[in-house]
């Protein structure tokens, strides 16, 4: 029986690569996004949903027959330079990386308590080195703290939560691909101090989390 994966951000960016990877492994992927940027395929179910605008999570839950895995691959970046934290940036990023995930996870607990569900959240290695825009780092650090503090609770109800901390990502239409094209000097400075990665570099972590028979709750993965 095919397993159902709910992927927030599954229609674009990092999330679209995850979707393509999982459908090759015969998973049924429910891709949540604002636009349908993916081709029609048998194992892909697109659900139009803007987390910043749509508030009815019950309606979203009802569209899915069953949930085995939830992946948060919601990306959001801003082009402006930020030295002092801007409240609008921080509010938006905290909503995406903390508040929404907390709210939806609470909905999962309410509707699927007792069922084994694995939650995979894409964080950032900036929580370790702090070398990113301040609002982004604060939001991602809050995301990390949320999953760390909740892991015992999730384990008590048979849920598993894992975090993946990607480094700078370079692929078509990614943030750093745009910087490479529009601001070559900034890109070269980053290249001198950091290694760039492709979403494919992280597929091994998804395979490990999904296929492992051991309890992976609370695990953090970083290359």
């Amino acid at each position: 029986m095919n397993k159902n994966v709910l992927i927030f951000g599954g229609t674009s960016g990092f999330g679209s690569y995850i979707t393509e990877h999982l459908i090759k492994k015969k998973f049924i992927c429910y891709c949540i996004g604002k636009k349908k940027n993916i081709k029609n395929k048998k194992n892909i179910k697109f659900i139009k949903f803007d987390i910043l605008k749509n508030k009815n999570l019950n309606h979203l839950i009802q569209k899915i027959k069953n949930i085995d895995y939830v992946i948060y691959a919601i990306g959001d970046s801003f082009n402006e330079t930020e030295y002092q934290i801007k409240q609008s940036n921080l509010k938006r990023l905290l909503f995406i990386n903390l508040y929404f995930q907390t709210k939806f996870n609470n909905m999962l607990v309410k509707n699927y308590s007792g069922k084994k569900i694995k939650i995979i959240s894409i964080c950032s290695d900036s929580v370790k080195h702090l070398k990113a825009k301040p609002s982004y780092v604060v939001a991602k650090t809050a995301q990390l703290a949320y999953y760390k503090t909740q892991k015992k609770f999730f384990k008590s109800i048979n849920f598993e939560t894992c975090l993946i901390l990607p480094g700078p990502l370079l692929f078509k239409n990614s943030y750093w691909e745009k910087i490479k094209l529009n601001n070559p000097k900034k890109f070269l400075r980053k290249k001198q101090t950091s290694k760039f990665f492709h979403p494919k570099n992280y597929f091994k972590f998804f395979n490990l989390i999904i296929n492992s028979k051991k309890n992976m709750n609370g695990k953090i993965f970083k290359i």
Side-chain angles (χ1 to χ4, degrees), residues 78-86 89 133-134 175 179 183 186 189:
F78 48 94
N79 294 323
E80 63 189 276
T81 300
E82 185 188 62
Y83 298 107
Q84 183 180 26
I85 287 179
K86 188 176 179 180
N89 292 338
K133 295 174 184 177
Y175 172 79
I179 294 296
N183 193 341
K186 181 177 179 179
R189 287 198 300 270

Side-chain angles (χ1 to χ4, degrees), residues 110-126:
K110 181 180 177 181
N111 288 274
Y112 290 94
S113 184
K115 175 181 169 58
K116 188 176 182 65
I117 291 180
K118 291 187 179 183
I119 299 170
I120 305 171
S121 187
I122 311 301
C123 192
S124 166
D125 70 350
S126 66

Side-chain angles (χ1 to χ4, degrees), residues 24-141:
K24 289 177 182 178
K25 295 184 174 295
K26 310 302 181 184
F27 287 90
I28 297 173
C29 294
Y30 289 87
C31 294
I32 314 298
K34 292 182 288 187
K35 295 181 180 179
K36 188 177 181 179
N37 299 321
I38 49 178
K39 296 178 181 178
N40 289 322
K41 292 184 180 181
K42 183 179 178 181
N43 285 358
I44 295 180
K45 315 288 184 182
F46 170 67
I47 300 175
K48 186 176 181 180
F49 191 88
D50 185 343
I51 70 166
L52 293 169
K53 295 179 180 179
N54 298 90
K55 305 300 180 183
N56 192 348
L57 296 184
N58 279 315
H59 179 67
L60 181 58
I61 288 279
Q62 289 167 6
K63 287 193 173 202
I64 305 154
K65 294 180 180 179
N66 203 357
I67 299 175
D68 299 291
Y69 305 91
V70 176
I71 298 174
Y72 293 104
I74 317 167
D76 190 77
S77 60
F78 48 94
N79 294 323
E80 63 189 276
T81 300
E82 185 188 62
Y83 298 107
Q84 183 180 26
I85 287 179
K86 188 176 179 180
Q87 291 297 311
S88 59
N89 292 338
L90 182 60
K91 183 177 180 180
R92 180 184 179 94
L93 290 169
L94 281 172
F95 182 89
I96 291 170
N97 294 287
L98 178 65
Y99 181 76
F100 178 77
Q101 294 189 37
T102 303
K103 187 176 181 181
F104 191 78
N105 287 343
N106 288 347
M107 288 285 295
L108 288 176
V109 172
K110 181 180 177 181
N111 288 274
Y112 290 94
S113 184
K115 175 181 169 58
K116 188 176 182 65
I117 291 180
K118 291 187 179 183
I119 299 170
I120 305 171
S121 187
I122 311 301
C123 192
S124 166
D125 70 350
S126 66
V127 300
K128 301 293 185 182
H129 55 64
L130 309 181
K131 294 179 181 178
K133 295 174 184 177
S135 293
Y136 181 82
V137 174
V138 170
K140 287 297 184 181
T141 302

Side-chain angles (χ1 to χ4, degrees), residues 176-192 196:
W176 282 108
E177 176 71 13
K178 293 174 183 177
I179 294 296
K180 182 179 180 180
L181 295 173
N182 300 322
N183 193 341
K185 289 183 179 179
K186 181 177 179 179
F187 177 80
L188 288 174
R189 287 198 300 270
K190 183 69 173 179
K191 191 176 181 181
Q192 289 173 355
F196 288 100

